[in-house]
Amino acid sequence: LPLSDFVAGNTTGTVTYLNPTVALVRAVRVFPVKGMDAAAARTVRLDGAGVVGDRRHAVVDEAGALLTADAEPRLRSVSAWLDTDGAVRLDVPGAAPGLGVEAAGAALTEYLGRWVHVTPVDPSRTLDAPVLHALRKTSRSRHSSSRK
């Protein structure tokens, strides 16, 4: 919706908020493992690196190189989710569902046809861009320019 639906000005330049709700979140999804399918989340917690549990694990090869879905599209067929204790679980095609990271490494090795494993990584290695920050900054700049 355009910002004009939410604010109104008058001849004195005063802004009146017509509706304090500027956005509505309909769904939240996290990517526990970089490159894999996202998991629905009822709530999220934030820390200094972003959403807790989001892209905090990755698939790496023997050389320690991080695999992405662009380089290995079959990763998109793997579902990753967090269990009630916050542990990463994976559903790898052809394997039992809900594997822990160690067992998932073996299943992924078989599925991809080369040795890989799932490992915790620094989020700075896996985040493509600070999406939440970019949205906030865009919204703020549009909001500010509407007031002028």
Side-chain angles (χ1 to χ4, degrees):
L1 294 172
L3 192 58
S4 60
D5 290 350
F6 301 107
V7 296
N10 59 33
T11 56
T12 63
T14 304
V15 174
T16 303
Y17 292 92
L18 302 176
N19 183 343
T21 305
V22 177
L24 173 65
V25 177
R26 296 202 182 268
V28 176
R29 297 178 59 83
V30 297
F31 295 84
V33 180
K34 172 73 173 171
M36 294 185 182
D37 193 19
R42 292 178 56 92
T43 62
V44 294
R45 288 183 301 119
L46 301 175
D47 65 13
V51 176
V52 173
D54 187 57
R55 291 166 244 213
R56 303 293 174 100
H57 285 76
V59 179
V60 296
D61 64 14
E62 285 181 294
L66 188 135
L67 296 183
T68 65
D70 290 338
E72 182 50 79
R74 291 176 292 178
L75 287 178
R76 292 185 180 109
S77 300
V78 180
S79 295
W81 43 278
L82 301 172
D83 69 14
T84 56
D85 295 326
V88 175
R89 298 289 176 190
L90 289 93
D91 296 338
V92 180
L99 299 173
V101 293
E102 194 169 316
L108 281 167
T109 293
E110 186 173 322
Y111 178 62
L112 299 176
R114 62 176 168 159
W115 187 90
V116 295
H117 72 109
V118 180
T119 187
V121 292
D122 183 318
S124 66
R125 278 188 76 190
T126 60
L127 294 175
D128 300 324
V131 177
L132 290 176
H133 178 71
L135 289 174
R136 238 181 316 180
K137 186 174 180 182
T138 301
S139 298
R140 193 176 12 214
S141 64
R142 255 191 267 148
H143 184 70
S144 297
S145 63
S146 298
R147 289 187 194 177
K148 294 178 182 176

